[in-house]
Amino acid sequence: MKADQLNVSCSSERSCADDLERLLVSISAQPTNLGPGKVLWRFPSCELKNSVIVQRRRAHHLFSFSGGALEHIRQVSRWWDDVLWTLASVPHTVTKLDIAHDLGVDGADTIESLQALVPGESSKLLGRKSLPVEWFLARRDADDRFTGTMYIGRGTSARVKLKVYDKAFERRVNAGILILPTTRYELTFMKDYKGGGISLRDACEPERLFWDAMPSELLSRPSGVADWSASDGIGWRAPGKVDRLPAEVLSRRLEDSAELDVLTRIADEMGPGGRVWLLRRLADLLGVEVQGSLSLAPVAAPEASEG
């Protein structure tokens, strides 16, 4: 079970945006400007949609982590604790949290049982209010069985929504990746769930919140799972953080930089002085005067080609 989408906001006057972006640099994320105050950060090994978006608005700063980005941070970078600490270092609000739970069950079997359990166009499985039920199904080529996705509450203002789908079918169709038969149960929580509030604690320890909302008609709650309680409005505080020196952050980023490798290869095409020219150009951009051992006469910068 894991957090699969996380949106957090904080005041622009007390923001962790700079610290978060410094952390993203440390774990080799690549930034792309999407417009004034909005930056998309991607990890080189992830799919295009797997990203972190940092948006600076006048009153608030917003941070959105896709499921793929969270998975990369947890499993590849292993800096999940630092991300949580950074977000928790200032007063904040978790505005949206998706929690995913995978079971090794054939999605077609799950969809078939759900169609019998939820036969109508609306359902009260998630609470007293009736919410719309939607199905997006297709036939699998391998066995001609229907499979796909069931939504409850999609497109509504409900504080909790449910999505159940054939994860193996989704991976094969959307990414060409083959995995073992898997059904994913995914709950989406909004900030004022049950009139209280979700928190980063729920992103770090999602079991209590997930089982608080998961209908017992669908899945049985395991024994030993503690009851969920709402946030106190202050925001969860992570237990601690490992401080990294600026030199460590920069060194790691340069060592892992695929872009620097490409720039070096291009500089080498300029001849023996190419790397010196590149270094001097970087120094110019940084406003630093280079002297001493870099006093070799650099080659002239190549003229831009026409067209």
Side-chain angles (χ1 to χ4, degrees):
M1 187 177 298
K2 58 190 177 183
D4 196 51
Q5 168 81 33
L6 175 64
N7 292 356
V8 179
S9 69
C10 67
S11 168
S12 59
E13 296 182 356
R14 294 189 62 187
S15 176
C16 61
D18 289 345
D19 288 339
L20 179 61
E21 291 192 318
R22 172 175 164 173
L23 180 57
L24 292 171
V25 166
S26 300
I27 52 182
S28 301
Q30 302 287 342
T32 301
N33 287 320
L34 299 181
K38 189 174 184 180
V39 179
L40 179 144
W41 293 82
R42 287 191 59 245
F43 301 100
S45 61
C46 291
E47 298 175 39
L48 181 61
K49 65 179 180 179
N50 295 334
S51 61
V52 180
I53 294 178
V54 177
Q55 188 167 3
R56 289 173 166 86
R57 295 179 177 175
R58 178 173 299 178
H60 295 90
H61 289 173
L62 310 175
F63 317 110
S64 178
F65 297 78
S66 73
L70 292 178
E71 188 70 10
H72 181 89
I73 292 168
R74 283 190 297 258
Q75 302 300 328
V76 180
S77 301
R78 302 185 184 278
W79 281 24
W80 178 226
D81 290 344
D82 278 7
V83 169
L84 289 174
W85 192 97
T86 300
L87 294 171
S89 65
V90 299
H92 61 274
T93 300
V94 176
T95 58
K96 179 183 176 183
L97 173 63
D98 288 0
I99 301 176
H101 183 43
D102 292 342
L103 295 179
V105 177
D106 190 326
D109 292 341
T110 302
I111 291 297
E112 184 176 339
S113 64
L114 287 175
Q115 287 181 309
L117 180 64
V118 191
E121 296 181 354
S122 62
S123 172
K124 292 185 178 181
L125 274 177
L126 294 179
R128 291 175 295 179
K129 184 178 179 180
S130 184
L131 295 173
V133 178
E134 297 178 275
W135 303 87
F136 293 85
L137 306 178
R139 286 189 184 274
R140 292 194 307 207
D141 295 336
D143 53 14
D144 203 37
R145 296 184 67 190
F146 276 108
T147 191
T149 306
M150 180 196 74
Y151 292 93
I152 297 181
R154 189 175 79 102
T156 73
S157 60
R159 300 299 89 189
V160 60
K161 306 167 191 179
L162 173 66
K163 175 183 178 182
V164 184
Y165 64 102
D166 185 337
K167 183 65 176 178
F169 181 72
E170 183 270 334
R171 288 284 76 197
R172 183 176 67 82
V173 171
N174 292 337
I177 298 174
L178 299 179
I179 65 173
L180 294 174
T182 304
T183 295
R184 171 163 291 188
Y185 292 80
E186 187 172 293
L187 288 165
T188 296
F189 298 89
M190 309 309 288
K191 64 179 181 179
D192 51 354
Y193 171 68
K194 285 194 170 179
I198 55 178
S199 72
L200 290 175
R201 179 199 66 190
D202 301 314
C204 180
E205 305 164 357
E207 290 81 8
R208 286 180 289 180
L209 178 59
F210 180 88
W211 292 113
D212 186 75
M214 176 55 64
S216 59
E217 295 90 339
L218 299 186
L219 294 176
S220 298
R221 180 188 182 116
S223 60
V225 177
D227 292 336
W228 176 81
S229 58
S231 167
D232 57 11
I234 298 175
W236 180 76
R237 293 299 301 249
K241 177 189 178 184
V242 177
D243 288 322
R244 290 175 171 82
L245 297 173
E248 180 185 0
V249 173
L250 292 173
S251 178
R252 175 167 178 160
R253 179 54 183 263
L254 291 172
E255 290 169 359
D256 294 342
S257 175
E259 185 175 9
L260 182 59
D261 291 340
V262 173
L263 292 175
T264 302
R265 288 199 298 270
I266 296 173
D268 287 343
E269 295 176 7
M270 299 167 64
R275 295 194 183 195
V276 173
W277 183 89
L278 174 60
L279 191 54
R280 284 188 174 279
R281 184 70 183 106
L282 291 172
D284 289 342
L285 293 173
L286 293 173
V288 175
E289 183 179 354
V290 178
Q291 298 177 344
S293 60
L294 298 180
S295 60
L296 295 174
V299 300
E303 296 181 1
S305 60
E306 297 181 359

